[in-house]
């Protein structure tokens, strides 16, 4: 369904047709979600899992709903130059803290991130021309990179590269 209003109840009826007849299969009332990935109803980021799931929609619109503490959680960057972030991320005056850009090795209990997997490293990795990140506080960020190639690697806390907008 397209162009539905957020948090609105709709009655939906499913029909099946055969031999010129139309039969009702199911009728029910459904309420649309408050979030929808557009500017009016952005996806709400409430948990670390929500933050990681942002990579499923690089052109989506997101809003941080509460502070997120990423302690003991290693991340790979969310976006790359092959798939840049081209949506909006409203930090909503909230904070992301104790973020570590790395992957935890369960055998050695250490974090590493190989620069072979991306040339642009940071929470967002690569923010494209249409990407915008604003109104966000970063606290206690760690970026640990093991350079395993001879290519240049661009590293930042929020993004290794930004062709779009970062403000506040």
């Amino acid at each position: 369904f397209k162009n539905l209003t957020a948090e609105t109840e709709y009655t939906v009826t499913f029909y099946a047709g055969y031999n010129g007849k139309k039969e009702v299969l199911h009728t029910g009332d459904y309420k649309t979600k408050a979030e929808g990935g557009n500017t009016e109803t952005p996806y709400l980021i409430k948990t670390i899992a929500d933050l990681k799931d942002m990579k499923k929609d690089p052109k989506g619109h997101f809003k941080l709903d509460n502070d997120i503490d990423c302690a003991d959680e290693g991340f790979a960057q969310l976006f790359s130059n092959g798939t840049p972030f081209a949506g909006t991320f409203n930090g909503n005056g909230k904070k992301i803290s104790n973020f570590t850009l790395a992957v935890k090795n369960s055998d050695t209990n250490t974090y590493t991130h190989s620069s072979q997997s991306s040339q642009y490293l940071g929470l967002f990795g690569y923010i494209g021309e249409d990407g915008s990140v604003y109104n966000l506080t970063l606290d206690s960020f760690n970026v640990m990179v093991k350079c395993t190639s001879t290519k240049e690697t661009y590293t930042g806390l929020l993004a290794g590269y930004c062709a779009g907008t970062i403000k506040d």
Side-chain angles (χ1 to χ4, degrees), residues 130-142:
D130 296 328
S132 177
V133 179
Y134 58 96
N135 202 16
L136 175 66
T137 298
L138 307 178
D139 182 39
S140 299
F141 264 48
N142 296 297

Side-chain angles (χ1 to χ4, degrees), residues 57-129:
D57 189 359
K59 294 181 180 179
H61 301 280
F62 304 90
K63 181 178 178 182
L64 193 57
D65 199 43
N66 51 272
D67 294 340
I68 295 182
D69 186 346
C70 299
D72 298 323
E73 189 77 30
F75 276 71
Q77 75 279 350
L78 296 173
F79 304 98
S80 67
N81 58 323
T83 307
F85 180 63
T88 61
F89 184 87
N90 177 359
N92 197 28
K94 307 294 183 193
K95 138 177 100 171
I96 298 175
S97 60
N98 300 310
F99 173 83
T100 299
L101 178 69
V103 178
K104 190 173 186 177
N105 181 327
S106 57
D107 295 331
T108 61
N109 204 32
T110 59
Y111 291 96
T112 59
H113 189 287
S114 169
S115 64
Q116 281 184 325
S117 62
S118 179
Q119 187 176 358
Y120 304 98
L121 304 174
L123 173 61
F124 281 81
Y126 193 103
I127 299 173
E129 289 180 14

